[in-house]
């Protein structure tokens, strides 16, 4: 007789396995009850840790799987029909395993969070950010998930998809729970420095470091979870029923295949969106922390009190009593604290945030900073604070914009905060000169002369600046001036304090009577050396006036300006005839809406500022003329 003893023995052994193991496994697996976990049960971790993971059943499953693989070449198509479907015996056990795994994962998350000090344990690289110990544990759990499903290799594809969907959903929910607890931990530790930090801004920097670590933790979990469905094979095309032999037929739909993540999202099961939205909450928390800390330090540097009183008074600061628990630091200490915070925090943000996140944080910071600076400037102006305070505040602003806002360069360039701080930080003489530079820009924008025009010839030669006042044309008198046009030209260099001591003399032409287009034809020399000639933004101002009351009172017809740097230079006086005359439009200021004027108005204790403003208003016709001959 031709008998295959090996085949027969395997068949009989399969029958014994089915008769002995099948009812036992089914009884055990069908006896498992569904386990649910409520948040109030999280403290019962001892019970959660004692739950049986059914590892014995899993080992038995793997043994039966290996047995079928080893006997397949011998038995071929004569397998016992019950043992071919042995995985069905374990269905209840798999569901129970998923319940227990989810509960134990939650329990493990709570434990590792308590032990995590939010310091780096993984090395950062180009493809993976740094993470702390608790995230390392979560990544290990995800790795165990992969190993489990790879070894299980559940043969029923439809059921496998359901199991994977449940498993991935559970791990995503655990990660959201973990992320929420992470943020709560950071908030609980807010204001406390780490053991390794000390010195200036230790608590604030420690909070920033922790929050950046939390963001990095969540980012790496999102990346891992996004890859998980593909790695577990969830993206395989769903099988459809074929013949009665259990074969599957691949769906040949022409629709573009979705990625594993898109499939899960379409099935409305993967809560990874919740984790992503939580990540945005973390970014907002970082932005709020950086914004509030920077704002508090800036306010302290500006020494602005809420009640508008003295900086050394009892009023609390705009910062809400940021330094209320300590004696008030000096302005120098406040500036140093701010500088240290800016340098350290800006470095941490650039290293710990993506370009998109950095832009979001800087946008929030800039919005708050712009508002805060505007409030401080207004309060300092109301208090008529010292020049030193504005200079200190300008220094703070420059420090901030130097280290922050690299993604907002265009926004910063369009802001007026820097210009206002720079203006209010100037001395009175600097402010007056800034005003004249504004007048030069207005003159350059004139399309038609408003009050006539003046023609001159100017050049530099070795003995100084040569000025020849040739003529004026179409002079227009002030509306309230009822006398004849008796005009003359005054010549000044600006700023006067930059041209040595004693100051250069004020030059003046002879008066030309009863003429709206007078010819002066007078020459003057100002002893200006090459160094003074090269002064940045130095100006030559020519002011056309009319006199009345025997010369005791003057009114302005118009003024014009020349930049000294634009005046040509000749090597010898014999070359002067080559210099062409220049015709310049005459105009008067029509508004005092200027940061320079605002700053000058704030200095009513300064005699130079008061006199300048008085003459400016006289030029504009909004103040009466006096017998004073002080010249602008």
């Amino acid at each position: 007789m031709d008998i295959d003893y090996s085949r027969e023995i395997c068949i009989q052994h399969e029958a014994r396995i089915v008769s002995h193991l099948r009812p036992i496994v089914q009884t055990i697996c069908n006896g498992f009850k569904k386990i649910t976990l409520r948040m109030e049960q999280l403290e019962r971790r001892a019970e959660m840790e004692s739950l049986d993971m059914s590892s014995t059943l899993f080992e038995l499953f793997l043994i039966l799987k290996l047995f079928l693989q080893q006997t397949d070449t011998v038995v071929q198509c004569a397998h016992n029909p019950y043992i071919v479907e042995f995985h069905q015996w374990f269905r209840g056990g798999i569901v129970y395993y998923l319940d227990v795994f989810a509960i134990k994962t939650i329990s493990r998350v709570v434990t590792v969070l308590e032990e995590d000090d939010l310091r780096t344990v993984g090395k950062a690289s180009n493809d993976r950010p740094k993470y702390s110990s608790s995230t390392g544990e979560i990544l290990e759990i995800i790795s165990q998930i992969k190993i489990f499903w790879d070894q299980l290799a559940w043969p029923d594809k439809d059921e496998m998809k359901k199991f994977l969907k449940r498993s991935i959903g559970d791990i995503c929910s655990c990660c959201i729970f973990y992320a929420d607890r992470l943020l709560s931990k950071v908030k609980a530790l807010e204001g406390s420095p780490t053991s390794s930090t000390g010195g200036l801004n230790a608590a604030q920097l420690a909070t920033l470091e922790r929050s950046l670590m939390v963001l990095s933790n969540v980012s790496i979990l999102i990346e891992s979870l996004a890859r998980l469905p593909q790695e577990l094979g969830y993206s395989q095309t769903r099988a459809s029923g074929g013949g009665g032999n259990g074969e599957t037929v691949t769906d040949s739909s022409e629709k573009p295949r979705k990625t594993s993540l898109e499939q899960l999202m379409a099935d409305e099961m993967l809560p990874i969106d919740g984790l992503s939205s939580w990540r945005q909450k973390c970014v907002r928390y970082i932005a709020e922390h950086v914004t509030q800390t920077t704002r508090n330090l800036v306010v302290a540097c500006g020494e602005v009190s809420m009640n508008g009183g003295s900086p050394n008074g009892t009023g609390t600061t705009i910062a809400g009593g940021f330094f209320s628990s300590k004696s008030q630091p000096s302005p120098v200490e406040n500036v140093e604290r701010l500088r240290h915070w800016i340098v350290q925090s800006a470095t941490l943000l650039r290293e710990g945030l993506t370009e998109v996140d950095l832009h979001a944080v800087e946008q929030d910071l800039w919005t708050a900073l712009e508002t805060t600076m505007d409030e401080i400037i207004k309060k300092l102006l109301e208090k008529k604070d010292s020049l030193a305070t504005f200079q200190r505040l300008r220094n703070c602003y420059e420090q901030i914009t130097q280290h922050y806002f690299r993604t907002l360069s265009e926004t910063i360039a369009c802001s007026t905060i820097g210009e206002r701080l720079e203006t209010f930080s100037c001395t009175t003489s600097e402010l007056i000169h800034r005003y004249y530079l504004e007048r030069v820009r207005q003159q350059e924008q004139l399309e038609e002369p408003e009050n006539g025009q003046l023609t001159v010839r100017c050049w530099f030669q070795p003995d100084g600046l040569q000025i020849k006042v040739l003529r004026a044309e179409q002079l227009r008198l002030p509306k309230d001036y009822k006398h004849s046009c008796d005009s003359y030209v005054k010549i000044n260099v600006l700023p006067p304090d930059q041209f040595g001591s004693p100051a250069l003399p004020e030059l003046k032409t002879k008066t030309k009577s009863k003429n709206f287009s007078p010819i002066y034809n007078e020459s003057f020399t100002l002893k200006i050396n090459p160094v003074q000639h090269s002064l940045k933004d130095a100006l030559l101002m020519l002011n056309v006036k009319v006199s009345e009351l025997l010369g005791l009172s003057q009114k302005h017809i118009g003024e014009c300006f020349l930049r000294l740097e634009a005046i040509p230079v000749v090597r010898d006086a014999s070359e002067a005839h080559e210099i062409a005359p220049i015709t310049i439009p005459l105009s008067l200021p029509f508004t005092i809406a200027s940061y320079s004027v605002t700053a000058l108005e704030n200095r009513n204790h300064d005699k130079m500022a008061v006199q300048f403003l008085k003459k400016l208003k006289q030029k504009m016709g909004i103040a009466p003329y006096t017998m004073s001959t002080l010249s602008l």
Side-chain angles (χ1 to χ4, degrees):
M1 296 176 64
D2 186 13
I3 300 175
D4 188 342
Y5 290 100
S6 297
R7 184 170 182 271
E8 291 302 320
I9 291 173
C10 286
I11 293 173
Q12 293 179 20
H13 193 52
E14 286 182 355
R16 293 191 187 96
I17 289 174
V18 170
S19 61
H20 285 83
L21 292 183
R22 179 175 173 241
I24 295 173
V25 172
Q26 286 182 331
T27 299
I28 293 174
C29 291
N30 293 337
F32 288 133
K33 296 181 180 180
K34 181 172 180 59
I35 304 175
T36 57
L37 176 68
R38 293 187 296 271
M39 289 297 104
E40 60 268 20
Q41 297 174 317
L42 287 178
E43 300 304 322
R44 297 162 56 185
R45 271 177 281 165
E47 299 178 28
M48 296 159 67
E49 293 291 344
S50 66
L51 287 173
D52 183 14
M53 287 292 288
S54 304
S55 56
T56 304
L57 281 176
F58 181 59
E59 291 169 0
L60 178 60
F61 181 93
L62 295 180
I63 291 172
L64 290 176
K65 175 184 172 184
L66 180 62
F67 173 77
L68 273 180
Q69 291 173 349
Q70 295 295 329
T71 61
D72 192 56
T73 56
V74 177
V75 180
Q76 295 178 354
C77 297
H79 282 298
N80 187 296
Y82 288 106
I83 203 168
V84 170
E85 300 293 328
F86 80 94
H87 63 280
Q88 298 292 350
W89 311 347
F90 294 85
R91 182 185 291 108
I94 298 300
V95 174
Y96 176 78
Y97 176 87
L98 293 178
D99 290 341
V100 175
F101 183 85
I103 292 175
K104 283 185 171 289
T105 299
I106 290 287
S107 174
R108 185 61 183 156
V109 164
V110 174
T111 301
V112 297
L113 266 174
E114 292 176 352
E115 301 169 353
D116 193 354
D117 57 3
L118 296 178
R119 296 184 184 179
T120 304
V121 296
K123 292 184 177 180
S125 62
N126 292 332
D127 57 346
R128 169 162 287 191
K130 57 186 178 181
Y131 54 87
S132 64
S133 59
S134 58
T135 294
E137 291 284 347
I138 302 294
L139 294 175
E140 180 61 29
I141 292 173
I142 294 175
S143 177
Q144 293 173 6
I145 282 282
K146 297 176 187 176
I147 295 173
F148 172 77
W149 288 113
D150 182 63
Q151 292 181 344
L152 189 69
W154 194 264
D156 188 319
K157 300 300 180 183
D158 284 342
E159 281 192 331
M160 181 65 168
K161 279 184 173 290
K162 294 178 182 178
F163 290 150
L164 288 179
K165 182 185 294 187
R166 161 74 189 280
S167 182
I168 297 170
D170 285 345
I171 195 66
C172 283
S173 298
C174 288
C175 287
I176 292 174
F177 170 81
Y178 166 73
D180 183 66
R181 287 300 181 95
L182 267 180
L183 183 58
S184 299
K185 181 167 186 172
V186 171
K187 291 180 178 179
L189 294 173
E190 187 174 341
S192 60
T194 60
S195 58
S196 62
T197 60
L200 292 176
N201 307 303
Q204 290 80 12
L205 289 171
T207 298
L208 179 58
E209 289 176 348
R210 294 188 193 105
S211 57
L212 287 170
M213 177 57 69
V214 169
L215 181 64
S216 181
N217 285 346
V218 177
S219 297
I220 195 172
L221 289 180
I222 290 175
E223 293 175 5
S224 298
L225 291 176
R227 295 192 302 267
L228 185 60
Q230 184 73 34
E231 292 171 348
L232 294 180
Y234 189 88
S235 61
Q236 296 176 4
T237 306
R238 184 180 299 275
S240 59
N245 55 6
E247 295 180 356
T248 59
V249 179
T250 301
D251 184 5
S252 59
S253 173
E254 295 182 358
K255 295 182 179 179
R257 178 180 296 180
K258 295 181 179 179
T259 65
S260 54
L261 185 59
E262 288 173 339
Q263 282 188 344
L264 287 166
M265 297 303 292
D267 290 341
E268 298 180 354
M269 63 73 51
L270 184 60
I272 196 171
D273 267 358
L275 196 59
S276 298
S277 64
W278 186 94
R279 184 185 182 281
Q280 294 306 312
K281 293 180 183 177
C282 187
V283 173
R284 287 196 296 272
Y285 175 79
I286 293 172
E288 290 171 1
H289 174 67
V290 172
T291 298
Q292 188 62 29
T293 303
T294 305
R295 183 179 185 273
N296 290 339
L297 292 170
V298 168
V299 170
C301 292
E303 297 182 335
V304 181
S305 59
M306 286 296 288
N307 58 10
S310 169
N312 298 322
T314 58
T316 58
T317 66
I318 288 178
F322 186 64
F323 299 111
S324 57
S325 62
K326 303 179 181 179
S327 60
Q328 291 287 341
S330 68
V332 175
E333 292 173 333
N334 286 332
V335 172
E336 177 57 24
R337 287 193 65 181
L338 176 62
R339 187 202 63 78
H340 179 267
W341 162 258
I342 291 169
V343 173
Q344 298 298 322
S345 61
T347 301
L348 290 173
L349 291 174
R350 287 195 298 272
E351 292 176 352
L353 295 178
T354 64
E355 190 73 13
V356 174
D357 293 337
L358 181 61
H359 177 78
V361 171
E362 290 188 341
Q363 185 66 59
D364 287 355
L365 176 59
W366 170 249
T367 301
L369 179 66
E370 192 173 29
T371 302
T372 300
M373 283 293 187
D374 187 65
E375 292 175 359
I376 293 176
I377 290 172
K378 290 178 180 177
K379 287 190 173 292
L380 290 179
L381 291 175
E382 290 173 1
K383 292 168 53 182
K384 302 192 181 299
D385 216 307
S386 66
L387 179 62
T389 305
F390 277 111
Q391 291 173 338
R392 185 168 63 248
L393 198 61
R394 180 189 64 178
N395 179 50
C396 295
Y397 179 79
E398 290 174 349
Q399 288 278 343
I400 294 173
T401 53
Q402 178 184 351
H403 291 86
Y404 288 136
F405 310 126
R406 297 189 178 182
T407 66
L408 299 175
S409 55
E410 293 183 3
T411 302
I412 304 301
C414 295
S415 173
T416 63
I417 295 294
E419 180 185 356
R420 291 162 66 190
L421 286 174
E422 184 179 0
T423 300
F424 298 140
S425 302
C426 292
T427 63
T428 299
S429 58
E430 289 172 339
L431 285 174
I432 292 174
H433 191 63
R434 287 174 72 91
Y435 163 78
Y436 283 126
L437 291 175
E438 293 174 12
R439 288 286 294 124
V440 172
R441 289 190 288 271
Q442 292 174 4
Q443 174 183 292
E444 292 170 347
Q445 295 172 359
L446 284 176
E447 296 180 358
E448 296 291 338
E450 295 177 348
N451 293 14
Q453 48 193 6
L454 185 67
T455 301
V456 297
R457 288 176 65 227
C458 300
W459 67 92
F460 278 99
Q461 61 186 39
D463 62 340
L465 173 60
Q466 306 299 313
I467 306 166
K468 188 166 185 176
V469 182
L470 298 176
R471 62 185 176 275
E473 297 175 292
Q474 301 176 349
L475 296 180
R476 183 178 302 173
L477 296 175
K479 292 181 179 180
D480 60 344
Y481 186 77
K482 305 301 182 183
H483 303 278
S484 60
C485 183
D486 301 332
S487 66
Y488 63 93
V489 180
K490 273 192 173 183
I491 304 170
N492 302 84
V493 285
L494 305 172
D497 57 344
Q498 296 296 313
F499 289 88
S501 180
L504 292 174
E506 184 179 71
L507 306 178
K508 174 182 174 183
T509 68
K510 295 178 181 179
T511 300
K512 299 298 180 180
S513 301
K514 300 178 181 181
N515 196 336
F516 286 91
S517 296
I519 298 176
Y520 303 103
N521 204 23
E522 293 187 44
S523 298
F524 304 92
T525 299
L526 285 174
K527 299 298 183 181
I528 296 178
N529 59 46
V531 175
Q532 294 169 333
H533 174 209
S534 61
L535 287 174
K536 183 181 179 183
D537 293 329
L539 301 174
L540 180 67
M541 182 174 73
L542 299 107
N543 201 341
V544 181
K545 296 183 176 183
V546 290
S547 61
E548 57 182 348
L549 299 177
L550 301 178
L552 295 179
S553 180
Q554 302 86 33
K555 284 200 173 184
H556 297 267
I557 292 179
E559 60 191 7
C560 60
F561 304 86
L562 281 175
R563 296 180 183 271
L564 291 192
E565 61 188 15
I567 296 176
V569 179
V570 299
R571 292 173 296 178
D572 188 83
S574 61
E575 300 177 3
H577 67 279
E578 299 177 2
I579 304 300
I582 311 171
T583 299
I584 316 169
L586 295 170
S587 64
L588 288 176
F590 57 88
T591 178
I592 58 174
S594 161
Y595 294 140
S596 302
V597 174
T598 301
L600 287 167
E601 288 177 329
N602 188 54
R603 301 182 186 183
N604 55 8
H605 59 282
D606 190 310
K607 184 177 179 180
M608 181 187 296
V610 172
Q611 290 181 338
F612 173 83
L613 291 172
K614 182 178 181 180
K615 289 298 179 181
L616 176 59
K617 293 178 180 179
Q618 288 175 354
K619 280 185 180 182
M620 299 176 61
I622 57 177
Y625 280 80
T626 66
M627 302 297 286
S628 172
T629 58
L630 177 67
S631 173
L632 286 175

